[in-house]
Amino acid sequence: MRHPALDKRNPLGHDRSRPLMPEGSPMSRPDMPPYSAPTIEARWQAAWDEAGCFRAKADPEKPKYYVLEMFPYPSGRIHMGHVRNYTMGDVVARHRRATGHAVLHPMGWDAFGLPAENAAMASGGHPKDWTYANIADMRGQMKPLGFSIDWSREFATCDPEYYGQQQALFLDMLDADLVTRRAAVVNWDPVEMTVLANEQVVDGKGWRSGAEVERRELTQWFFKISDMAGDLLDALDGLDDWPAKVKLMQANWIGRSRGLELAFQMTEPAQGFDSIPVYTTRPDTLLGASFVAVSPDHPLAKALSAEDPSIAAYCEEARKGGTTEEAIETAEKTGIDTGLRVRHPLDDSWELPVWIANFILMDYGTGAIFGCPAHDGRDLDFARKYQLPVVSTFVPAQGEHVRPEEGADAFTPQKSEPVRYVKLFAGEEVQTSDQGVEAAVAQAEAEGWGKGVTRYRLRDWLLSRQRYWGCPIPVIHCADCGAVPVPRDQLPVELPEDVTFDRPGNPLDRHPTWGRAPCPQCGKEARRETDTMDTFVDSSWYYARFTAPQAVTPTEMDEAAYWMNVDQYIGGIEHAILHLLYSRFFARAMVKTGHLPASAREPFDALFTQGMVTHEIYQSRDENGRPVYHFPEEVEGGKLKDTGAPVEVISSAKMSKSKKNVVDPVGIVATYGADTARWFVLSDSPPERDVEWTASGAEAAYKHLSRVWRLAHEAASSQDKPNAVADTALERARHKIVHEVSQVIESFGFNAAIAKLYGFTNMLSKSDAGAGVKQKAARTLVQLMAPMTPHLSEELWTLLGGDGLCAQAPWPKADRAMLVEDSITLPIQVNGKRRGEIQVARDLAVAEIERLALEAVSRSLDGVAPKKVIVVPGRIVNVVA
RNA sequence: GCCGGUGUGGCGGAAUGGUAGACGCAGCGGAUUCAAAAUCCGCCGAGGCAACCCCUCGUGAAGGUUCGAGUCCUUUCACCGGCACCA
């Protein structure tokens, strides 16, 4: 039989002119067939299908377990990152099934989005055809990997059955006052005729068209997520099984701040304004105020612009500022004096100038600030540029201090640090700034000139997109009745299929008939909403839909109550903020609208963020010195295979097509089999860290599986007689490995599980135990490997006389008594340095251990009497000399 | 700038405050073979030593706590990630 590794197009870049395990080798006996992954993998996948092993069935007798990996975008090709993500979920799912849980492990497709429209524009097809074809391709690539997924629950978010329920959900959220519609400033690409997300604006230009992006005010739909900001922040505390890093990122994103809102009265009313409301987190520095500044988008600035061309010109210029990080960092702080003046709230005779400044944001706080240059770097830059006063309000509690008014940087210590107030109006002279702020707020409230407020950075979620390939917003706009919800019996509002992508803009907008609909309220001719929903909406509730994917309502309460919450969610750190925050919002919204039980308010009990799969990059230079990248299979021994030209090896990075450092899982599965791919992506690195794909590592994984294959066959055909010492040793090791692997799998230590299984394999191969004990050990080995290498394990399980399917066998249990060693090795230290060791009975008296220890290290002590002997039972002995 | 994380052999990485370097890769030596591959056995941080005994050094750097520190504390350097004119 021709081994698959004979295929010279294998993706590892090794010219494999020989099979890895040829027949006729000493190890290959007539009764031992070679390890042929393709044969056994196909066979057992069929067997699992037939037995329906992975169908999720609610069972009141069992604890339930819902494991979910972030579902993929159907690009058409799976990559190693998918393999790693889904393998981790599969290990958890298989392990939980074996430990007696009713497991839900579903899969679906995050199928709406721009790439489908781009493909339609590029090649003239239809986004729907492109998407469903990709789904079929990817499913075809995924199934050979043998994931224990309940495929009967599969859906795509572009199925009308799914997005129709999403529309129903939207209408319920509208009724529950979770949705609103208002004007918003957006990035508008005048060539593409659509709104762009911030990340699609590069250097102020549209990423595709290259056209200068305009800031336009459009009426848009929003989810009122900011109403829940406080709860979304506070509830992070309860998410004990989420990475601290993710919780911190979310907390920063939500961005709670405590401060004071106060109004500066104008000396003379202007443009209908008699005061300027200001928000500050530093009311304790109010006596250091030197100016008031408003945003160029502030109503006052707009009103002044109408009168004064120089102000209008300044505001126009200030708004242009680039959106890139670099532009923001290097942008100079600029402003223009309005000539208006305001009174200081604590001193009627104190007047401050009012400026318009480019660094004030309209959509945070009130769009206006008071500047305190002594204690804010930005304000100090601004004050120095325009010769405004600098006045310190506090100095360090102790020590020397050069004040900002003497040329030093702005003094901005941590708010928890005590400082000495030199201009004080509330609280103690020496207090922390936190205390100073609270005292100032209390005083302002008592005296009635200000109000303490808690603010959030988190904005409402803009969900309107001027795109075709998304979920239509189920609303009809009537000239008389306004925005009217589509009646529920008319859902889903389906996307029309006869659309064209030959012109920019939204095809829904220019469709001849689709947009026309009678007003559901008055019956008059009206227009459909042609915006579709942000695709983040689709992925914000799919986890709930998996509990009843065919339901004619968004969810079914009893199914949702049984399966929710997701016990273990697994995905990339890149979704730490938006996707997870939106999902948390949606779960709350679904509780409020009666689609989820109250207990599912936080949908993901535990979250795991896995690292990427990386690979070295191979680079050479063309005649102009520009870098040229090469696929791994084009390189051998540091040289290009066809020309022999040397390549530069650049250190590992995330696999990407542009750098050509990609390894295709399909090729790996064809060459080595799914089990090898699964085993490799879990070995070597902790799951939360990146793992580097190497050809030698993949080959090593394959060799190991082949070795287990041989050992299992040897054990199965062994005629060796029992051997008391070896039998006991192996049996003890067997219980120990069961204990260890169970423990590390539960704590996501997949790489550690693999390392321990390597160790046990080494032990088994060297053991002189009798046939029966060896077979038992081998059977345990393959069972413990089964979550990682299910096909190989299934085949060997059967060979070794396992009962039924390994996939359905109960997880082995370790006998505690077998884990305890009778005799232990104690290292002996002298002054913390290891100088010897002793073998003692586990329960030997401390005094006796001390005696033996001193004896063992007498040479190192060199006659010196020990001052002290520290015995850590079962661990170590340290002699202090 | 602010917040967070990580620094351990040639490489990926192990080590509840208790024998630093598990396990794997690469490398070296041996067995097997006509020869090779595959497989099996062994070695594999640096330095010293006749020596697989043993000694010294060693977890980015410098201090500290402790009988004992990769692990805890302080300072510092480097790299990675997130946020970023948020008042």
Side-chain angles (χ1 to χ4, degrees):
Chain A
M1 192 194 80
R2 188 181 159 90
H3 192 278
L6 277 167
D7 186 350
K8 292 215 183 167
R9 290 165 303 147
N10 83 75
L12 290 181
H14 281 184
D15 178 18
R16 197 167 297 298
S17 51
R18 324 162 290 262
L20 291 170
M21 236 291 292
E23 286 152 81
S25 79
M27 300 312 297
S28 170
R29 301 196 301 254
D31 58 335
M32 193 192 295
Y35 170 41
S36 166
T39 316
I40 65 172
E41 290 180 357
R43 179 193 307 152
W44 291 110
Q45 283 165 20
W48 296 327
D49 260 0
E50 197 171 320
C53 297
F54 310 136
R55 289 289 273 256
K57 280 193 289 284
D59 182 344
E61 301 296 305
K62 290 179 175 178
K64 70 92 189 176
Y65 200 88
Y66 183 1
V67 54
L68 182 67
E69 302 97 55
M70 291 180 184
F71 67 165
Y73 179 80
S75 62
R77 301 296 297 174
I78 63 166
H79 52 71
M80 277 301 169
H82 291 126
V83 175
R84 194 166 187 226
N85 188 201
Y86 302 134
T87 300
M88 287 180 193
D90 201 44
V91 170
V92 173
R94 286 178 181 271
H95 175 250
R96 290 288 170 172
R97 248 178 240 112
T99 52
H101 295 76
V103 169
L104 172 56
H105 185 214
M107 181 58 68
W109 310 94
D110 190 12
F112 273 135
L114 218 41
E117 286 188 55
N118 293 342
M121 277 180 235
S123 53
H126 193 281
K128 181 179 171 182
D129 301 333
W130 184 86
T131 303
Y132 281 105
N134 279 354
I135 289 174
D137 284 350
M138 274 179 91
R139 193 194 298 112
Q141 294 158 32
M142 227 144 122
K143 285 207 165 177
L145 282 154
F147 299 132
S148 64
I149 288 165
D150 180 354
W151 285 100
S152 73
R153 291 179 187 246
E154 176 190 0
F155 61 76
T157 56
C158 64
D159 298 339
E161 295 75 22
Y162 182 81
Y163 72 71
Q165 296 306 326
Q166 186 162 304
Q167 292 168 341
L169 206 48
F170 177 88
L171 295 180
D172 288 347
M173 288 169 73
L174 202 56
D175 290 343
D177 194 29
L178 291 160
V179 183
T180 184
R181 190 165 180 263
R182 69 173 122 89
V185 178
V186 295
N187 301 311
W188 179 262
D189 186 321
V191 172
E192 299 270 317
M193 295 204 290
T194 187
V195 166
L196 297 180
N198 282 330
E199 54 272 21
Q200 294 170 332
V201 181
V202 181
D203 290 330
K205 297 187 173 68
W207 66 297
R208 181 201 303 282
S209 67
E212 193 88 16
V213 169
E214 298 169 16
R215 285 162 54 117
R216 272 207 190 176
E217 217 169 62
L218 293 181
T219 304
Q220 306 267 285
W221 291 96
F222 289 85
F223 286 122
K224 294 165 81 173
I225 189 172
S226 64
D227 285 0
M228 291 192 193
D231 181 40
L232 288 168
L233 182 65
D234 294 336
L236 288 172
D237 277 343
L239 299 175
D240 297 330
D241 293 317
W242 279 43
K245 180 191 171 96
V246 173
K247 287 191 279 187
L248 187 72
M249 282 164 73
Q250 292 221 347
N252 288 341
W253 187 261
I254 294 168
R256 175 150 58 197
S257 72
R258 170 78 179 158
L260 183 73
E261 208 170 283
L262 74 160
F264 281 83
Q265 299 300 319
M266 297 172 76
T267 53
E268 280 166 38
Q271 311 292 334
F273 292 83
D274 54 8
S275 72
I276 300 174
V278 154
Y279 172 70
T280 179
T281 57
R282 294 308 301 258
D284 57 320
T285 66
L286 199 47
L287 292 172
S290 77
F291 61 93
V292 164
V294 302
S295 162
D297 294 313
H298 194 277
L300 178 61
K302 286 186 177 166
L304 290 169
S305 293
E307 306 264 300
D308 184 338
S310 65
I311 289 183
Y314 172 77
C315 291
E316 185 59 32
E317 190 58 35
R319 277 192 208 107
K320 264 194 198 155
T323 52
T324 63
E325 284 183 20
E326 208 182 344
I328 289 167
E329 207 165 335
T330 54
E332 198 182 349
K333 289 169 186 42
T334 64
I336 185 168
D337 190 349
T338 63
L340 302 174
R341 298 184 76 78
V342 292
R343 291 186 198 288
H344 196 284
L346 293 172
D347 180 357
D348 249 9
S349 64
W350 184 353
E351 291 185 9
L352 302 166
V354 177
W355 288 66
I356 298 167
N358 66 343
F359 64 97
I360 314 300
L361 303 177
M362 189 56 223
D363 49 3
Y364 188 78
T366 60
I369 62 144
F370 77 81
C372 177
H375 304 296
D376 185 293
R378 296 158 302 176
D379 294 351
L380 187 61
D381 289 351
F382 191 77
R384 286 193 172 144
K385 177 163 181 177
Y386 295 109
Q387 281 93 49
L388 295 161
V390 179
V391 180
S392 286
T393 59
F394 55 79
V395 296
Q398 278 135 21
E400 307 260 310
H401 178 58
V402 183
R403 295 190 182 195
E405 38 273 64
E406 291 153 5
D409 286 346
F411 181 51
T412 55
Q414 295 281 310
K415 280 186 173 174
S416 52
E417 209 173 287
V419 292
R420 179 180 307 278
Y421 282 82
V422 293
K423 286 195 176 293
L424 180 76
F425 67 96
E428 307 289 323
E429 188 188 328
V430 174
Q431 60 185 341
T432 67
S433 293
D434 281 326
Q435 291 165 332
V437 167
E438 278 315 309
V441 168
Q443 182 137 338
E445 288 185 339
E447 295 172 3
W449 51 268
K451 197 171 105 239
V453 287
T454 300
R455 283 195 179 277
Y456 298 91
R457 207 187 73 114
L458 182 67
R459 313 290 156 71
D460 278 339
W461 171 8
L462 193 164
L463 73 114
S464 305
R465 295 289 184 273
Q466 291 70 40
R467 292 290 180 192
Y468 166 77
W469 194 232
C471 171
I473 295 173
V475 167
I476 291 167
H477 296 285
C478 169
D480 295 336
C481 310
V484 182
V486 172
R488 282 169 173 74
D489 58 14
Q490 290 173 27
L491 297 183
V493 176
E494 283 199 53
L495 290 166
E497 299 211 10
D498 52 334
V499 284
T500 53
F501 294 89
D502 48 352
R503 280 181 291 159
N506 183 352
L508 291 179
D509 238 353
R510 58 172 186 263
H511 191 280
T513 55
W514 185 80
R516 288 209 288 271
C519 169
Q521 253 168 48
C522 69
K524 273 208 311 203
E525 166 108 8
R527 263 198 76 71
R528 279 190 194 285
E529 172 70 64
T530 55
D531 285 354
T532 52
M533 297 185 201
D534 179 6
T535 55
F536 270 116
V537 179
D538 312 333
S539 54
S540 291
W541 71 286
Y542 77 110
Y543 51 87
R545 183 69 182 170
F546 275 135
T547 64
Q550 274 95 40
V552 294
T553 46
T555 59
E556 265 171 33
M557 210 38 157
D558 52 345
E559 292 291 326
Y562 180 81
W563 289 113
M564 288 296 286
N565 297 344
V566 176
D567 293 274
Q568 182 66 61
Y569 196 32
I570 306 171
I573 186 75
E574 66 273 21
H575 293 114
I577 299 176
L578 293 183
H579 163 61
L580 290 168
L581 192 62
Y582 292 155
S583 294
R584 296 177 63 220
F585 165 72
F586 249 74
R588 283 163 169 74
M590 290 176 81
V591 170
K592 193 170 175 188
T593 52
H595 295 295
L596 279 179
S599 55
R601 188 169 142 274
E602 282 296 341
F604 310 124
D605 282 352
L607 172 70
F608 190 89
T609 52
Q610 97 276 2
M612 298 180 302
V613 182
T614 65
H615 197 282
E616 286 180 334
I617 297 167
Y618 305 113
Q619 179 191 288
S620 62
R621 304 260 171 193
D622 67 9
E623 57 274 23
N624 299 318
R626 282 188 298 254
V628 180
Y629 299 106
H630 306 280
F631 287 111
E633 61 262 33
E634 296 167 359
V635 177
E636 187 171 35
K639 294 195 169 93
L640 281 181
K641 268 190 209 164
D642 48 354
T643 65
V647 293
E648 199 182 331
V649 178
I650 299 174
S651 63
S652 235
K654 179 179 183 172
M655 288 187 180
S656 81
K657 275 185 196 140
S658 61
K659 297 273 195 281
K660 292 195 175 178
N661 62 335
V662 289
V663 173
D664 182 7
V666 173
I668 295 294
V669 171
T671 310
Y672 291 113
D675 285 337
T676 294
R678 296 170 57 119
W679 184 261
F680 180 80
V681 293
L682 295 177
S683 62
D684 279 8
S685 287
E688 68 276 14
R689 271 201 247 173
D690 293 350
V691 65
E692 183 177 22
W693 184 278
T694 60
S696 59
E699 196 162 333
Y702 179 82
K703 283 184 188 173
H704 176 72
L705 300 192
S706 304
R707 185 172 181 224
V708 171
W709 175 269
R710 283 192 307 276
L711 287 173
H713 279 83
E714 280 164 20
S717 60
S718 169
Q719 303 291 323
D720 292 347
K721 300 230 158 36
N723 169 335
V725 174
D727 285 3
T728 309
L730 187 56
E731 192 53 13
R732 274 189 185 283
R734 191 178 73 83
H735 282 277
K736 193 166 163 221
I737 189 74
V738 167
H739 177 70
E740 289 174 339
V741 169
S742 307
Q743 212 169 40
V744 292
I745 283 186
E746 269 162 43
S747 58
F748 266 73
F750 305 133
N751 60 321
I754 284 176
K756 296 201 182 296
L757 287 165
Y758 269 111
F760 185 64
T761 307
N762 288 338
M763 162 126 197
L764 174 63
S765 102
K766 293 186 174 75
S767 172
D768 294 321
V773 172
K774 263 196 171 176
Q775 278 155 22
K776 205 168 164 190
R779 202 160 60 228
T780 299
L781 172 65
V782 300
Q783 197 184 0
L784 293 176
M785 287 171 69
M788 281 80 93
T789 57
H791 314 88
L792 174 75
S793 291
E794 200 71 75
E795 180 80 13
L796 298 179
W797 173 261
T798 302
L799 173 79
L800 291 159
D803 209 14
L805 284 169
C806 184
Q808 292 177 318
W811 196 250
K813 282 196 177 67
D815 178 355
R816 292 253 152 212
M818 294 291 279
L819 299 177
V820 184
E821 305 283 345
D822 299 331
S823 163
I824 53 174
T825 305
L826 279 185
I828 317 298
Q829 296 181 329
V830 176
N831 293 331
K833 290 194 162 103
R834 187 181 165 283
R835 286 292 182 262
E837 59 182 41
I838 52 174
Q839 282 284 330
V840 295
R842 179 169 48 84
D843 48 4
L844 191 68
V846 169
E848 185 63 7
I849 291 176
E850 279 188 24
R851 193 186 62 75
L852 289 170
L854 287 174
E855 202 177 283
V857 297
S858 59
R859 197 163 56 115
S860 303
L861 286 171
D862 203 20
V864 180
K867 292 201 186 89
K868 197 173 167 188
V869 180
I870 294 153
V871 178
V872 184
R875 275 281 178 195
I876 199 166
V877 179
N878 191 13
V879 179
V880 186

